[in-house]
């Protein structure tokens, strides 16, 4: 296969691509998942391991995905085949597709919760139930209601996808991402002014290494992949839309730094608040939906804080859903391009929505417990999809991509993309360092952490 002339979709500016990639990376993973996983794993020590993972795996894998996407100019369906000139690596594309569909299943449901909470906060009904745990249980046991909000989340996402990428995704991300950052800084300052917030700060920043275990490291690695959107091809897809002279290394550093900054800001909002009001930081997935609103309730201007917080969550979640759906849309258009029933962008969006409606309804109804038979063994689909995608498929995807770029993609092509016309020694050195990391360190470390973590669970 030869690389075709691209009349393909593309971002018009470098900033646009960075904002869209940050939009993909910053999501429920940062604001909902990161604080509760850090809370369960002891706070400071987890933060440190997490940041190490970002540096050692996250950054090289961001560069890997962008390089594969930019060089091939294709979606995950064709990227590997174009680079290798044969179809032997196309299974990675299918693996990405499967992972994306599973992630979309539970991600859509949680985005639906965020929209529901935002509407409740705006209409002042968030604090009307007897207590916030009851409010959350009411929602998570009501299949039809969760399904309804998932459809709303999908509808909002597909409106953006309906437009070409430079008009929909690019424009929206350029507005929403800076807004999100400003809102988060504002909220963090507000929470830090609460009396007693320093206990939370200490929990979040002081590393207690007695809490370290193989499971903590596995969780940190999984969280790093999920948060940076690595391992299912979202950034290969965006890489294919990258303007020609964009610097891949600089872009990857910007995405990693901004994503980690938002995760830290989320911790800065949640932990001081949680400690100031004497709540357990290891509450789990309910932290953002039950604990935080009840903390807000005790603060002045509680409904404004809730509206801001759930507004933030909605923005972050929807820009990530957009990138997930774009993986499917690009895959479907490309896979059917030469076929009798080819799909243009609009038809591909519709088909992607149908697929996501099916998986998210499985998650929503199974989580609610009705019908009772809708589960796998004794686990609901919501949990199974999350575990299979985040703990298995995404690390496997990342591992395959690292092996592909390290051992099977022509080195000259990689260097050409990384140097970006620049022949300085520093670019040469960075290219060399990158190759050593993706060839040896990343694959060995992923396998080791994975085995160690899994064995410790048995
Ligand atoms: N990174 C997103 C988050 O933190 C989730 C995501 C994963 C998005 C994979 C796209 C691809 O919420």
């Amino acid at each position: 296969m030869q690389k075709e002339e691209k009349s393909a979709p593309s971002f018009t500016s470098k900033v646009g691509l960075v904002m869209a990639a940050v939009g993909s990376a910053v999501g429920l993973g940062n604001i909902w998942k990161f604080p509760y996983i850090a809370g369960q794993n002891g706070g400071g020590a987890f933060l440190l391991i997490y940041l190490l993972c970002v540096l050692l795996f996250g950054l090289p894998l961001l560069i890997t995905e962008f390089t594969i996407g930019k060089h091939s100019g294709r979606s995950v369906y064709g990227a590997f085949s174009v680079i290798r000139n044969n179809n032997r690596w196309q299974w990675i594309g299918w693996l990405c597709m499967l992972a994306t569909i599973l992630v979309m299943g539970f991600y859509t449901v949680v985005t639906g919760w965020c929209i529901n909470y935002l509407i409740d906060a705006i209409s002042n009904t968030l604090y009307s139930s007897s207590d916030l745990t009851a409010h959350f249980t009411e929602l998570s046991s009501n299949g039809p209601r969760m399904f309804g909000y998932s459809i709303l989340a999908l509808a909002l996402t597909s409106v953006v996808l309906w437009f070409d990428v430079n008009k929909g995704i690019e424009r929206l991300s350029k507005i929403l991402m800076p807004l999100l950052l400003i809102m988060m800084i504002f909220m963090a300052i507000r929470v830090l002014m609460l009396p007693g917030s320093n206990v939370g700060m200490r929990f979040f920043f002081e590393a207690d290494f007695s809490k370290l275990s193989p499971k903590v490291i596995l969780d940190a690695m999984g969280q790093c992949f999920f948060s940076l959107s690595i391992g299912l091809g979202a950034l290969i897809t965006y890489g294919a839309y990258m303007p020609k002279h964009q610097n891949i290394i600089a872009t990857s550093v910007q995405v990693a730094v901004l994503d980690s900054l938002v995760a830290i800001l989320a911790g800065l909002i949640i932990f001081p608040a949680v400690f100031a009001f004497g709540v357990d930081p290891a509450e789990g997935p309910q932290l953002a939906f039950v604990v935080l609103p009840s903390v807000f309730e005790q603060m002045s201007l509680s409904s404004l804080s809730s509206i801001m917080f759930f507004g933030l969550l909605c923005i972050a979640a929807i820009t990530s859903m957009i990138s997930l759906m774009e993986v499917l849309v690009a895959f479907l258009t490309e896979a059917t391009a030469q076929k009798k029933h080819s799909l243009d962008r609009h038809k591909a969006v519709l088909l992607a929505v149908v697929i996501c409606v099916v998986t998210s309804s499985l998650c929503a109804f199974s989580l609610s417990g009705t019908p009772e038979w809708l589960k796998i063994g004794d686990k609901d689909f919501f949990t199974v999809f999350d575990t299979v995608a985040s703990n298995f498929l995404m690390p496997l995807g990342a591992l395959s991509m690292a092996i592909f770029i390290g051992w099977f993609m022509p080195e000259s092509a990689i260097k050409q993309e990384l140097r970006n016309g620049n022949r300085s020694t520093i670019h040469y050195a960075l290219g060399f360092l990158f190759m050593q990391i993706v060839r040896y360190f990343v694959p060995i470390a992923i396998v080791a952490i994975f085995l160690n973590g899994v064995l410790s669970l048995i």
Side-chain angles (χ1 to χ4, degrees):
M1 265 199 255
Q2 280 305 310
K3 184 176 170 179
E4 290 167 0
E5 262 313 297
K6 291 199 275 176
S7 65
S10 135
F11 287 115
T12 46
S13 67
K14 296 179 189 171
V15 184
L17 181 119
V18 174
M19 287 300 131
V22 172
S24 169
V26 170
L28 296 168
N30 306 58
I31 309 176
W32 168 63
K33 242 182 171 185
F34 178 80
Y36 87 73
I37 296 189
Q40 286 173 332
N41 284 317
F46 180 85
L47 176 66
L48 196 72
I49 300 292
Y50 176 78
L51 292 177
L52 268 178
C53 285
V54 171
L55 190 70
L56 297 175
F57 302 106
L59 200 52
L61 286 163
L62 283 172
I63 299 176
T64 298
E65 286 212 20
F66 281 137
T67 305
I68 296 175
K70 183 163 184 247
H71 190 73
S72 65
R74 299 297 183 93
S75 75
V76 290
Y77 176 80
F80 302 95
S81 311
V82 168
I83 292 171
R84 286 296 295 168
N85 256 325
N86 63 47
N87 284 342
R88 253 176 261 149
W89 288 84
Q90 209 183 32
W91 56 268
I92 306 184
W94 288 95
L95 181 74
C96 290
M97 173 86 166
L98 178 65
T100 306
I101 291 175
L102 296 190
V103 172
M104 272 306 276
F106 70 90
Y107 210 90
T108 309
V109 173
V110 183
T111 308
W113 294 350
C114 301
I115 300 178
N116 183 162
Y117 268 70
L118 178 62
I119 295 176
D120 286 352
I122 294 173
S123 61
N124 236 331
T125 51
L126 188 58
Y127 299 111
S128 61
S129 331
S130 50
D131 68 78
L132 283 147
T133 313
H135 192 89
F136 185 73
T137 319
E138 250 168 57
L139 175 63
S140 60
S141 58
N142 188 337
R145 183 146 149 226
M146 281 193 283
F147 179 60
Y149 279 105
S150 305
I151 300 279
L152 188 57
L154 283 169
L156 290 172
T157 309
S158 36
V159 169
V160 182
L161 287 169
W162 197 258
F163 296 99
D164 288 341
V165 293
N166 56 339
K167 302 219 177 75
I169 303 174
E170 183 171 356
R171 253 192 226 165
L172 190 83
S173 313
K174 268 164 74 179
I175 303 170
L176 291 187
M177 284 306 112
L179 180 72
L180 181 106
L181 216 62
I182 295 171
M183 280 166 76
M184 288 198 74
I185 293 175
F186 176 79
M187 281 209 76
I189 294 176
R190 197 168 138 57
V191 171
L192 287 176
M193 279 170 4
L194 288 173
S197 66
N198 56 340
V199 188
M201 292 278 282
R202 225 173 299 134
F203 173 77
F204 192 38
F205 287 118
E206 261 177 26
D208 171 5
F209 288 106
S210 66
K211 298 262 167 51
L212 274 193
S213 69
K215 183 180 168 293
V216 174
I217 301 178
L218 181 69
D219 278 353
M221 182 178 75
Q223 173 61 19
C224 162
F225 289 167
F226 188 81
S227 184
L228 289 175
S229 304
I230 287 167
L232 51 69
L235 300 173
I236 293 187
T237 312
Y238 278 4
Y241 308 152
M242 215 180 232
K244 197 152 171 267
H245 295 294
Q246 185 133 10
N247 182 328
I248 291 183
I249 298 184
T251 304
S252 306
V253 172
Q254 285 156 357
V255 174
V257 168
L258 284 170
D259 187 71
S260 308
L261 186 71
V262 172
I264 293 176
L265 275 174
L268 279 183
I269 295 174
I270 293 190
F271 292 119
V274 157
F275 278 92
F277 291 101
V279 180
D280 181 8
E283 273 283 332
Q286 305 193 5
L287 199 57
F289 291 97
V290 176
V291 179
L292 212 55
S294 60
V295 167
F296 292 151
E297 200 178 8
Q298 301 169 54
M299 285 162 56
S300 54
L301 296 176
S302 62
S303 49
L304 184 70
S305 306
S306 309
I307 294 174
M308 256 183 103
F309 180 75
F310 289 109
L312 276 177
L313 266 180
C314 286
I315 295 177
I318 288 177
T319 48
S320 297
M321 271 182 70
I322 290 172
S323 74
L324 283 159
M325 281 263 263
E326 183 64 27
V327 175
L328 302 184
V329 171
F331 185 103
L332 292 170
T333 9
E334 201 172 297
T336 59
Q338 316 290 335
K339 307 267 159 43
K340 202 165 129 222
H341 298 291
S342 65
L343 296 173
D344 61 16
R345 186 168 178 85
H346 291 167
K347 286 192 194 134
V349 170
L350 291 178
L351 182 56
V353 169
V354 172
I355 297 173
C356 297
V357 166
V358 174
T359 46
S360 56
S361 61
L362 281 177
C363 290
F365 285 103
S366 168
L367 185 67
S368 75
T370 4
E372 249 173 54
W373 48 265
L374 199 60
K375 46 184 168 210
I376 300 179
D378 60 347
K379 294 248 184 310
D380 58 75
F381 278 93
F382 183 96
T383 315
V384 173
F385 283 11
D386 184 5
T387 315
V388 172
S390 316
N391 294 357
F392 294 92
L393 298 184
M394 291 173 72
L396 188 62
L399 175 66
S400 325
M401 288 173 201
I403 293 177
F404 178 83
I405 201 167
W407 299 94
F408 295 91
M409 184 165 167
E411 212 171 313
S412 55
I414 303 170
K415 294 204 167 133
Q416 174 200 330
E417 294 300 340
L418 293 190
R419 279 191 210 145
N420 197 23
N422 212 316
R423 304 220 145 259
S424 65
T425 324
I426 179 91
H427 278 80
Y428 181 82
L430 284 178
F432 178 79
L433 184 67
F434 171 74
M435 286 313 290
Q436 306 314 308
I437 293 180
V438 285
R439 264 197 189 147
Y440 304 104
F441 175 74
V442 172
I444 294 174
I446 293 182
V447 172
I449 294 178
F450 186 74
L451 287 182
N452 211 354
V454 172
L455 290 180
S456 75
L457 292 180
I458 298 175

